[in-house]
Amino acid sequence: IVRIDALHAWVIGSGGSSPSDYAMVATTADGGQTWTLQVNQANGFKPLAAGVFSDGNHGSAVGPNGTILTYGP
């Protein structure tokens, strides 16, 4: 979990029946009361391992084999 401030945070991981089923990034803007799930199937179903986020709207997540996902409006 990458916490930006008291209201904004990002969580990075993988999901499905197998950890390699899909990459998962979720965001919250209300201190964790609700989460917005983002699933990027274009990454070839690679799991994600880490991320860097500059604020509640922008960041990048990385995984094995050169997977890099960028998030932002």
Side-chain angles (χ1 to χ4, degrees):
I1 296 177
V2 178
R3 184 174 172 176
I4 304 299
D5 56 36
L7 295 177
H8 299 89
W10 296 75
V11 64
I12 303 157
S14 58
S17 59
S18 167
S20 62
D21 280 353
Y22 64 83
M24 183 273 299
V25 175
T27 62
T28 184
D30 58 11
Q33 294 294 318
T34 60
W35 291 85
T36 301
L37 179 65
Q38 300 181 27
V39 177
N40 187 324
Q41 296 183 4
N43 72 353
F45 300 103
K46 303 285 187 210
L48 297 172
V52 175
F53 298 89
S54 58
D55 59 32
N57 296 311
H58 302 89
S60 296
V62 297
N65 302 319
T67 299
I68 300 173
L69 304 179
T70 302
Y71 292 89

